[in-house]
Structures are given as C-alpha cells and as structure tokens.
Amino acid sequence: LDVKRLYNAYAKLTPRYKVSVSQARHICDKEEVLDAINSNLKSMESNSNDEHDDNDNGTIILDTRGSSYAKGHMPSAIHLPYAQLVDPNNSLILKPTSEIKQMLEDRGVDYLNPNKKIILSCGSGVSVCHGY
C-alpha cells in the first residue's frame, strides 16, 4: 500500500461542496459555542436549583461521547452517549423514536421548543452524527 501516493492524490482533489460556516445552517462556530456556555452558566448561577430552566430560551449542549465525557466536557453540557441512541446489536440502526424522546426528556432536553437551539458535541465528529 503506497500511502504517500494515496495521500498526494487525495490532497490534490478539489472538494465538491464548499460551504463556509456562516452559510451552513447546521454548523456553529466557536463564538456560538462560547456564547452558549456563558449563557448556560449564568442561567445555572441564577437558579437556586441545578435543574434546567424550561423558560430559558438558551442553547442546550449535548455531548454524545462515551466514557471520555467523564475526562472533561464543556461546562453545562448534557451527556447523551451515542451508544444509548443505537441498537446494541447494530450501531447503524437508531433505537425507536419513543425511546430517544424519553432519553432526551429524562435529561431535561425540551427538543420541541422552537426557541431552543441544540448544539451537538463530541471529540471528532463521529459520535455526534448519531445525535443529529
């Protein structure tokens, strides 16, 4: 296997689609993530309890990583491991919608609120695809 030849051939390819972050509807930039974290932290500080405020029109951050979530995650991120979203025998098949909705509700995620934005996060972009 000539890896150098493959790399050089791949590096010369022109991407089919060029989309800047500002044009992409489903991609957020670093500033949006930082704004969400800061807003969530302020909201958590103002609440006397640690529950999410359903009236808050802020942004929810869902982290879909597995065990690496415990090693570090964005402040205010809610853990929803991708492995819980898929069939245990076939990770290409999502669990039934009712089960996924229940998992979101159990974590206080109001996925029906049109005023809420949900940011999905993981380490490399692979496990986040299950959440999307």
Side-chain angles (χ1 to χ4, degrees):
L1 179 64
D2 188 350
V3 175
K4 186 175 181 178
R5 183 181 61 81
L6 290 173
Y7 174 79
N8 288 334
Y10 177 76
K12 293 177 186 176
L13 292 177
T14 303
R16 289 186 193 176
Y17 308 102
K18 292 183 181 180
V19 178
S20 70
V21 171
S22 63
Q23 295 172 322
R25 293 179 337 164
H26 300 300
I27 299 174
C28 60
D29 61 14
K30 179 176 109 177
E31 295 306 316
E32 278 186 271
V33 174
L34 289 173
D35 288 346
I37 291 169
N38 290 328
S39 174
N40 290 346
L41 290 176
K42 285 178 186 174
S43 177
M44 290 169 73
E45 287 174 5
S46 66
N47 289 338
S48 58
N49 56 23
D50 290 330
E51 295 178 19
H52 296 280
D53 184 1
D54 288 337
N55 297 321
D56 179 27
N57 291 336
T59 300
I60 298 166
I61 301 172
L62 282 180
D63 192 322
T64 57
R65 292 177 296 156
S67 61
S68 62
Y69 175 86
K71 295 177 185 175
H73 57 274
M74 285 187 254
S76 78
I78 298 170
H79 192 210
L80 181 58
Y82 73 93
Q84 292 182 10
L85 299 170
V86 296
D87 182 306
N89 298 316
N90 186 343
S91 64
L92 298 176
I93 299 174
L94 289 172
K95 287 185 176 178
T97 304
S98 60
E99 288 183 40
I100 294 173
K101 286 180 179 179
Q102 188 62 54
M103 283 185 260
L104 291 168
E105 290 169 4
D106 290 348
R107 288 164 174 78
V109 176
D110 184 2
Y111 57 89
L112 295 176
N113 185 341
N115 297 317
K116 291 275 189 188
K117 180 187 276 188
I118 298 175
I119 294 176
L120 296 166
S121 170
C122 74
S124 64
V126 176
S127 66
V128 79
C129 294
H130 290 88
Y132 183 77

